[in-house]
């Protein structure tokens, strides 16, 4: 091989790291003309082997999918009936390359009836009725699934495999809320060797990432959700269609399934969007081995008070749009997670029988009458409460301070919480909270140190908002900002609106460097002049080094983003900047006093892709930089530039003359 100047070596379907030299393949310094291409279903292999370029083969567009499919199936774009059915089959593969190639090759040369039969099986998710066609899809998926057990001593499904199977309980094409997955995972005992909810969250997050890298889950545009491809979902259902631990997932039920004659083998059942007048809905269902039940009404589904009596092994119960009796849950003594979304509980009774309950979530579900009972739930670790937007949650005095086992508290509707009670929760690591000015911030109050939080002052956010980012949204609060002192230091997303009396963020709001902040929104903070003011300090330290997005509006006193020599790394990671209606701003990026230290760093603004400037009457230039320093800044990544009502703008990019 060394005698050949240029050679390409391809390794297909690699599952583990290997050293090319050990099998006689020279590369790198030994043979710079040798290029190695490898394919793998396990992205970690690319990372371990230090691949210079990684190409993720994702879901194909409809046009790309049809091109790949017809090339492998031997069909074309002609108007024949067979080609029409072939296009439907290709669409049912939902852009998954593995399914497109396997199904196309299996159906190549089939009759029109054969194509139609395969198409119907795909639509009905009956893939295994024809293993010749669909077995080739499931075999590589089974390899990926089995590989998840590598380096795991468990003989049954390990935690990552179970996490994958939990994702299959959700409807087809659904964007699965990670927060709901976490509730389910805690209920079924995922990572049972871990006690802290925060650590379980982290492990479940790692598991989901691993599933995405293995091609078993898909990313979405929302960091708080994941998605499972339809074909992969059907594969998961196939895995759990046999044996003693079966899953059942149905959507849009109008009639109660007859399959419940063999109810004893089911450990997880998810019935989505059931008709409110479903036929043959029983008063009682004996499901003695059932661990997970999801019951969702299309409108409002009413179930009997005895419906749950024979489900005594249930660990996770999720009810959506269901009329039910709390009294009917008395037999569920093993329940660990109870989640009710937009439900109407009747016969409100005590929850004290749920002595193993760890997660209680009541979204859009009235909870005031049962709040006192929470004290009796000694194992309760995570509490979610949310009413309709116009309803307030009324906590009895001193209730919160007695919930000493709580590790997470999520109250996202208006409430009467005495904030001082939060300081009694010594185990609290995560907090979602809506706070109004009427509640008042006592002078001696300070939010405890938290690992995750989403706190809104004088505002509202959705009740299923996750805790992916540490978030603060503070509106119309100009005093006692010291209550947030410990949170400003590690906040990731910060929004301030109508905050008076503060001239800067650093050092006025936080003397530390706020280096975990990625997104900043400022609006109508009339006294703020700078984001950072480091005049009088020697040299420059790192500050706002991870800031990616900045949105500033109606800031009439804003003069500069940074007053004084910009800190090291400031402006290096910015990707999107919007500034609107700031009457005093003359230069967006004032860098003519740039610190010499920055010269050794990556160019400033080199990641900026979007810049929007509106209604800035005093604006003279986007940046001001001495010509001797022009190499330290670059707009090489800029893709979108919007400028409107900036009548004083003399030049878009300007360098100051050396004699100025």
């Amino acid at each position: 091989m060394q005698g050949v100047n240029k050679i390409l070596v391809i390794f297909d379907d690699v599952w583990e790291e290997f050293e090319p030299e050990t099998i006689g393949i020279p590369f790198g310094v030994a043979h710079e003309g040798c290029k190695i291409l490898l394919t793998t279903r396990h992205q970690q292999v690319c990372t371990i082997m230090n691949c210079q370029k990684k190409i993720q083969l994702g879901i194909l567009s409809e046009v790309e999918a049809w091109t790949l499919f017809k090339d492998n199936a031997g069909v074309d774009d002609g108007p024949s009936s067979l080609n029409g059915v072939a296009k439907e089959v290709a669409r049912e593969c939902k852009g998954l390359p593995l399914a497109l190639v396997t199904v196309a090759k299996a159906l190549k040369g089939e009759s029109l009836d054969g194509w139609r039969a395969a198409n119907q099986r795909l639509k009905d998710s009956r893939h295994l009725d024809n293993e010749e066609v669909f077995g080739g899809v499931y075999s590589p998926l089974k390899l990926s699934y089995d590989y998840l057990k590598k380096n795991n001593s468990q003989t049954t499904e390990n935690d990552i495999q179970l996490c994958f199977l939990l994702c299959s309980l959700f409807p087809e094409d659904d964007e699965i809320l990670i927060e709901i997955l976490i509730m389910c995972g805690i209920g079924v005992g995922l990572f049972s060797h871990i006690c802290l909810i925060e650590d379980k969250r982290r492990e479940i997050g790692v598991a989901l990432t691993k599933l995405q890298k293995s091609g078993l889950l898909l990313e979405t545009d929302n960091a708080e959700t994941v998605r499972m491809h339809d074909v992969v979902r059907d594969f998961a259902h196939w895995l759990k269609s046999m044996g003693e631990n079966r899953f059942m997932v149905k959507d849009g039920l109008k009639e109660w399934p007859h399959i419940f004659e063999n109810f004893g083998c089911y450990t997880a059942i998810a019935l989505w969007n059931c008709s409110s007048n479903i036929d043959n809905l029983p008063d009682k269902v004996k499901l003695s081995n059932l661990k997970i039940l999801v019951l969702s009404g299309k409108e409002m589904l009413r179930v009997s008070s005895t419906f749950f009596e024979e489900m005594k092994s249930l660990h996770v119960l999720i009810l959506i749009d269901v009329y039910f009796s709390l009294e009917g849950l008395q037999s569920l003594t093993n329940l660990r997670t109870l989640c009710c979304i937009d439900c109407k509980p009747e016969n409100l009774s005590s929850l004290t029988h749920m002595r193993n309950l760890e997660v209680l979530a009541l979204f859009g579900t009235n909870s005031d009458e049962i709040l006192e009972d929470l004290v009796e739930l000694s194992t309760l670790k995570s509490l979610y409460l949310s009413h309709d937007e116009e309803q307030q949650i009324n906590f009895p005095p001193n209730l919160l301070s007695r919930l000493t086992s709580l590790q997470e508290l999520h109250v996202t509707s208006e409430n009467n919480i005495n904030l001082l009670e939060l300081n009694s929760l010594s185990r609290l690591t995560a907090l979602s909270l809506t706070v109004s000015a009427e509640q008042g911030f006592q002078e001696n109050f300070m939010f405890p140190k938290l690992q995750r939080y989403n706190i809104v002052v004088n505002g509202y956010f959705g009740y299923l908002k996750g805790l992916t980012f540490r978030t603060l949204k503070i509106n119309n609060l100009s005093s006692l900002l010291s209550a947030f002192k410990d949170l400003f230091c590690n906040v990731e997303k910060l929004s301030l609106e109508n905050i008076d009396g503060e001239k800067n963020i650093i050092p006025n709001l936080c003397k530390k460097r706020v280096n975990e902040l990625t997104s900043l929104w400022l609006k109508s903070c009339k006294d703020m002049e700078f984001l950072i003011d480091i005049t009088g300090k020697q040299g420059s330290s790192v500050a706002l080094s991870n800031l990616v997005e900045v949105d500033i509006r109606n800031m009439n006193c804003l003069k500069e983003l940074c007053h004084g020599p910009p800190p090291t790394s400031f402006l290096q990671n910015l990707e999107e900047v919007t500034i609107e209606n700031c009457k005093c701003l003359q230069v967006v990026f004032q860098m003519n006093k740039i610190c010499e230290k920055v010269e050794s760093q990556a160019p400033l603004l080199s990641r900026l892709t979007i810049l929007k400037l509106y209604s800035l009457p005093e604006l003279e230039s986007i940046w001001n930089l001495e010509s001797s320093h022009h190499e330290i800044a670059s707009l090489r990544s800029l893709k979108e530039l919007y400028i409107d009502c900036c009548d004083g703008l003399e030049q878009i990019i300007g360098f100051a003359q050396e004699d100025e």
Side-chain angles (χ1 to χ4, degrees):
M1 290 180 65
Q2 287 181 322
V4 182
N5 290 333
K6 292 184 178 181
I7 188 168
L8 174 65
V9 180
I10 300 175
F11 292 95
D12 188 33
D13 202 18
V14 178
W15 287 86
E16 294 182 350
E17 177 190 12
F18 69 95
E19 296 290 342
E21 298 96 326
T22 60
I23 53 176
I25 298 178
F27 77 109
V29 177
H31 192 339
E32 294 183 352
C34 180
K35 305 298 181 185
I36 296 177
L37 172 68
L38 63 85
T39 69
T40 179
R41 293 186 56 79
H42 193 52
Q43 191 174 331
Q44 189 66 12
V45 171
C46 299
T47 303
I48 294 173
M49 294 189 66
N50 298 314
C51 292
Q52 293 171 313
K53 188 171 184 179
K54 303 173 189 175
I55 301 173
Q56 182 78 33
L57 184 58
I59 301 303
L60 304 182
S61 69
E62 188 169 336
V63 173
E64 293 169 333
W66 172 239
T67 300
L68 178 63
F69 187 87
K70 69 180 182 180
D71 287 348
N72 283 275
V75 295
D76 54 42
D77 293 310
S80 71
S81 297
L82 192 148
N83 288 340
V85 177
K87 288 181 179 179
E88 290 186 34
V89 172
R91 279 194 289 270
E92 287 298 322
C93 292
K94 303 293 179 69
L96 186 67
L98 172 64
L100 288 162
V101 172
T102 304
V103 173
K105 287 182 176 179
L107 292 175
K108 187 174 183 178
E110 270 286 350
S111 65
L112 178 59
D113 285 343
W115 276 92
R116 284 174 171 165
N119 186 32
Q120 194 59 48
R121 290 190 192 100
L122 273 168
K123 290 180 177 179
D124 296 342
S125 298
R126 293 185 292 111
H127 300 174
L128 265 288
D129 286 0
N130 190 340
E131 290 200 38
E132 182 180 344
V133 176
F134 302 108
V137 178
Y138 285 2
S139 294
L141 291 176
K142 184 68 163 60
L143 281 173
S144 292
Y145 176 79
D146 289 341
Y147 193 78
L148 297 173
K149 289 179 68 172
K150 186 175 182 290
N151 299 325
N152 193 298
S153 59
Q154 293 169 271
T155 56
T156 57
E157 294 140 354
N158 66 18
D159 291 315
I160 299 178
Q161 287 178 321
L162 183 52
C163 192
F164 166 73
L165 295 171
L166 287 176
C167 292
S168 75
L169 292 173
F170 292 83
E172 188 174 287
D173 294 324
D174 194 36
E175 290 201 0
I176 305 164
L177 283 163
I178 294 174
E179 201 66 21
I180 297 293
L181 273 179
I182 289 171
M183 293 183 200
C184 291
I186 293 170
V188 297
L190 271 183
F191 304 102
S192 57
H193 61 288
I194 296 174
C195 296
L196 296 178
I197 299 288
E198 171 62 25
D199 293 339
K200 286 181 184 283
R201 277 184 175 277
R202 192 176 296 113
E203 290 291 345
I204 292 173
V206 170
L208 293 175
T209 299
K210 186 169 184 178
L211 289 168
Q212 289 170 337
K213 289 183 176 181
S214 299
L216 295 173
L217 283 183
L218 302 173
E219 294 182 19
T220 70
D221 294 332
N222 185 350
E224 296 174 356
T225 63
V226 293
R227 192 165 69 85
M228 179 174 273
H229 191 280
D230 294 352
V231 174
V232 178
R233 178 175 175 268
D234 291 337
F235 160 72
H237 292 171
W238 169 71
L239 285 175
K240 302 301 290 184
S241 64
M242 301 164 284
E244 297 180 354
N245 298 304
R246 300 185 190 182
F247 281 16
M248 177 195 291
V249 184
K250 293 188 177 293
D251 199 351
L253 273 186
K254 296 182 179 179
E255 183 178 2
W256 193 251
H258 298 296
I259 198 168
F260 275 114
E261 295 171 1
N262 300 318
F263 48 74
C265 56
Y266 288 99
T267 55
I269 295 175
L271 306 176
W272 297 94
N273 301 306
C274 298
S275 171
S276 57
N277 55 354
I278 186 170
D279 291 339
N280 304 320
L281 181 66
D283 290 336
K284 185 185 298 187
V285 185
K286 187 175 181 180
L287 293 162
S288 55
N289 294 318
L290 193 66
K291 298 292 191 297
I292 304 171
L293 175 63
V294 180
L295 188 60
S296 161
K298 191 172 184 179
E299 294 173 351
M300 193 60 72
L301 176 68
R302 183 182 293 273
V303 297
S304 163
S305 61
T306 59
F307 185 79
F308 305 101
E309 279 187 5
E310 298 296 330
M311 304 181 190
K312 296 180 180 179
S313 297
L314 206 60
H315 286 174
V316 176
L317 177 59
I318 298 178
L319 302 174
I320 305 172
D321 288 315
V322 176
Y323 273 113
F324 70 98
S325 169
L326 264 181
E327 188 178 5
L329 305 184
Q330 296 281 346
S331 61
L332 305 183
T333 56
N334 291 306
L335 201 64
R336 296 176 184 170
T337 293
L338 173 60
C339 175
C340 301
I341 302 175
D342 296 330
C343 290
K344 303 291 183 185
E346 300 172 320
N347 300 324
L348 293 175
S349 59
S350 174
L351 295 174
T352 55
H353 59 283
M354 297 184 184
R355 299 194 180 278
N356 292 299
L357 196 66
E358 296 184 29
V359 179
L360 175 61
L362 303 175
F363 300 120
T365 302
N366 195 326
S367 58
D368 284 356
E369 295 185 41
I370 58 172
L371 288 178
E372 281 284 5
D373 295 335
L374 299 180
V375 178
E376 303 297 326
L377 302 178
S378 59
T379 59
L380 189 65
K381 297 177 181 178
S382 190
L383 175 63
Y384 300 75
L385 296 175
S386 175
H387 286 179
D388 294 332
E389 188 170 347
E390 65 276 3
Q391 285 185 296
Q392 176 173 294
I393 299 176
N394 296 305
F395 283 82
N398 301 315
L399 172 69
L400 269 183
S401 58
R402 291 182 287 159
L403 302 180
T404 54
S405 63
L406 270 189
Q407 297 177 27
E408 296 193 352
L409 175 64
H410 311 277
V411 182
T412 56
S413 294
E414 288 188 18
N415 59 79
N416 66 339
I417 287 177
N418 180 346
L419 297 177
L420 286 174
E421 291 190 49
L422 295 176
N423 291 323
S424 299
L425 304 178
S426 59
R427 301 179 184 180
L428 196 68
T429 60
L431 177 67
S432 301
L433 187 63
T434 298
V435 186
S436 66
E438 288 73 23
Q439 284 175 259
F441 285 82
Q442 297 91 331
E443 287 191 23
N444 57 342
F445 171 74
M446 185 180 296
F447 280 100
K449 290 184 178 180
L450 300 163
Q451 297 190 45
R452 298 176 188 266
Y453 53 84
N454 191 340
I455 299 173
V456 177
V457 180
N458 295 321
Y460 177 82
F461 57 86
Y463 55 60
L464 279 172
K465 192 72 174 175
L467 287 170
T468 308
F469 304 103
R470 291 185 290 274
T471 303
L472 281 179
K473 295 183 180 180
I474 305 175
N475 306 319
N476 303 302
L477 185 70
S478 298
S479 61
L480 300 175
L481 287 172
S482 59
F484 303 92
K485 180 180 178 181
D486 285 338
L487 304 185
F488 281 133
C489 297
N490 68 351
V491 65
E492 293 174 304
K493 293 184 179 293
L494 176 63
S495 173
L496 302 175
E497 183 173 351
N498 291 318
I499 305 297
D500 300 338
E502 302 294 342
K503 291 192 174 184
N504 55 68
I505 293 176
I506 300 174
N508 279 25
L509 290 182
C510 184
K511 297 187 183 301
K512 296 184 180 180
R513 297 310 178 189
V514 201
N515 283 313
E516 296 184 49
L517 186 68
T518 60
S519 300
L520 175 64
W521 297 275
L522 299 173
K523 184 177 181 181
S524 303
C525 299
K526 65 180 184 180
D527 298 316
M528 192 166 290
E529 298 177 355
F530 321 107
L531 302 188
I532 307 174
D533 185 354
I534 55 173
T535 53
K537 294 186 177 291
Q538 297 297 318
S540 64
S541 58
V542 177
L544 298 179
S545 59
N546 285 305
L547 194 59
V548 173
E549 178 185 7
V550 174
D551 192 309
I552 302 174
R553 302 172 192 259
N554 304 333
M555 305 275 284
N556 290 334
C557 289
L558 186 71
K559 298 176 182 178
E560 300 176 77
L561 299 186
C562 180
H563 189 45
T568 304
S569 301
F570 179 57
L571 305 181
Q572 282 186 343
N573 290 309
L574 271 181
E575 295 179 7
E576 183 171 347
V577 174
T578 300
I579 304 179
E580 180 178 352
N581 196 23
C582 298
K583 295 179 180 179
C584 296
L585 189 67
Q586 295 181 334
V587 180
V588 179
F589 306 112
Q590 181 64 269
M591 296 184 287
N592 58 351
K593 298 178 182 178
I594 201 75
C595 176
E596 296 294 332
K597 287 184 180 180
V598 181
E599 292 187 10
S600 63
Q601 306 292 320
L604 301 176
L605 305 177
S606 59
R607 297 185 181 181
L608 188 68
T609 57
I610 300 174
L611 179 60
K612 301 178 181 180
L613 305 173
Y614 305 122
S615 300
L616 307 175
E618 299 298 320
L619 187 67
E620 296 176 359
S621 65
I622 293 178
W623 70 20
N624 192 353
L625 184 63
E626 294 178 7
S627 57
S628 60
H629 288 161
H630 70 274
E631 292 182 356
I632 66 173
S634 168
L635 291 177
R636 62 193 181 198
S637 299
L638 191 65
K639 296 179 180 178
E640 299 178 29
L641 175 62
Y642 303 89
I643 300 175
D644 188 29
C645 296
C646 299
D647 298 337
L649 187 63
E650 299 173 359
Q651 52 189 355
I652 294 179
I653 303 297
F655 296 101
Q657 298 297 319
E658 289 186 352
D659 58 350
E660 288 183 350

